[in-house]
């Protein structure tokens, strides 16, 4: 069974950048399409980005398109989210999750991003 | 873009009670509707997919129903570990949006 662990969350100033990572263990990440989702604590979930197993196709939420980039390194069993031009409303807990046919099967525990001056 | 509205926002119940949670879509999603449970301080976990199919390891007290625009998650008899936030999510069209969540709290 695959296990996912996110890292890279931190406090960053508005306009700054962060790179989140999602490390997989227990199975090979290359078998899975992957998603990033985020959640303001106490609020609902928001899908952020999607990448196919091969990395050939990527989708983004309108709110992050042009600022965020999803990528993966299947050889290192890792998924990434490069976040640029961060805004206050980008703050929250970011989760990576395996994704098949629109279903989020396995989630990581999340990493907290705080955007504040 | 399909919008999912969950109601109520908060449900105050006692252990042993029956919980009925609603998720309404702004347009038909067929049966392409999933439910997730999120316990305090934890990541979400898949409960129900395709409106009514329980995920692996999910106990039978959880059941899902509905099609088109109206969906229901029912917990037949609440256990202490069921007090959590429940999210619905549609997979009919991109973006695969989530609802705002329903918190089931102890009365």
């Amino acid at each position: 069974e695959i296990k996912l662990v996110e890292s890279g969350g931190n406090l960053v100033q508005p306009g700054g950048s962060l790179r989140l990572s999602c490390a997989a263990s227990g199975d090979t990440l290359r078998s899975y399409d992957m998603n990033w989702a985020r959640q303001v604590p106490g609020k609902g979930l928001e899908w952020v980005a999607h990448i196919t197993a091969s990395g050939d196709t990527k989708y983004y939420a309108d709110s992050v398109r042009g600022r965020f980039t999803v990528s993966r390194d299947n050889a290192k069993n890792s998924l990434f989210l490069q976040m640029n031009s961060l805004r206050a409303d980008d703050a929250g807990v970011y989760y990576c999750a395996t994704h098949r046919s629109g279903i989020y099967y396995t989630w990581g525990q999340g990493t907290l991003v705080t955007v504040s001056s | 873009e399909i919008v999912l509205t969950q109601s109520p926002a908060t449900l105050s119940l006692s252990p042993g009670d029956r919980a009925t949670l609603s998720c309404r879509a702004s347009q038909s999603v067929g049966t392409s509707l999933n439910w997730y449970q999120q316990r305090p301080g934890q990541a979400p976990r898949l409960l129900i997919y395709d409106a009514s199919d329980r995920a692996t390891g999910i106990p039978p007290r959880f059941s899902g129903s509905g099609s088109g625009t109206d969906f229901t998650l029912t917990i037949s008899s609440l256990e202490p570990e069921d007090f959590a936030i429940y999210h619905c999510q549609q997979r009919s069209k991109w973006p695969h949006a989530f609802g705002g969540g329903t918190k089931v709290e102890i009365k």
Side-chain angles (χ1 to χ4, degrees), chain A residues 36-91:
Chain A
W36 285 98
R38 65 187 180 186
Q39 183 179 34
V40 174
K43 302 294 184 183
L45 293 159
E46 179 188 12
W47 166 73
V48 172
H50 171 83
I51 185 169
T52 53
S54 65
D56 289 346
T57 301
K58 305 173 185 180
Y59 300 126
Y60 298 95
D62 288 346
S63 57
V64 308
R65 188 176 296 114
R67 301 186 298 121
F68 289 13
T69 302
V70 60
S71 62
R72 62 194 300 159
D73 185 339
N74 286 338
K76 295 184 177 180
N77 240 17
S78 294
L79 175 74
F80 306 101
L81 186 67
Q82 177 67 42
M83 304 189 297
N84 299 330
S85 303
L86 282 161
R87 312 184 306 215
D89 61 358
D90 292 319

Side-chain angles (χ1 to χ4, degrees), chain A residues 35 99-105, chain B residues 2 4 23 25 27-36 46 48-53 68 71 88-99:
Chain A
N35 275 7
H99 180 273
R100 187 171 73 241
S101 300
I103 301 170
Y104 294 65
Y105 280 93
Chain B
I2 297 175
L4 299 179
C23 178
Q27 59 185 270
S28 177
V29 299
T31 56
S32 298
L33 193 287
N34 309 318
W35 291 93
Y36 301 83
L46 179 65
I48 301 284
Y49 63 95
D50 290 349
S52 60
D53 292 332
F71 299 87
C88 61
Q89 176 242 337
Q90 65 83 18
R91 68 179 191 92
S92 176
K93 294 180 183 177
W94 284 97
H96 293 162
F98 291 88

Side-chain angles (χ1 to χ4, degrees), chain B residues 29-104:
Chain B
V29 299
T31 56
S32 298
L33 193 287
N34 309 318
W35 291 93
Y36 301 83
Q37 177 194 63
Q38 186 176 25
R39 292 170 174 157
Q42 296 187 15
R45 70 161 176 162
L46 179 65
L47 276 183
I48 301 284
Y49 63 95
D50 290 349
S52 60
D53 292 332
R54 276 189 301 276
T56 302
I58 301 303
R61 65 179 181 273
F62 292 93
S63 63
S65 64
S67 65
T69 59
D70 290 304
F71 299 87
T72 301
L73 175 69
T74 301
I75 310 171
S76 60
S77 179
L78 283 164
E79 297 288 340
E81 62 269 26
D82 300 337
F83 291 92
I85 298 174
Y86 293 84
H87 307 272
C88 61
Q89 176 242 337
Q90 65 83 18
R91 68 179 191 92
S92 176
K93 294 180 183 177
W94 284 97
H96 293 162
F98 291 88
T102 290
K103 181 179 181 180
V104 178

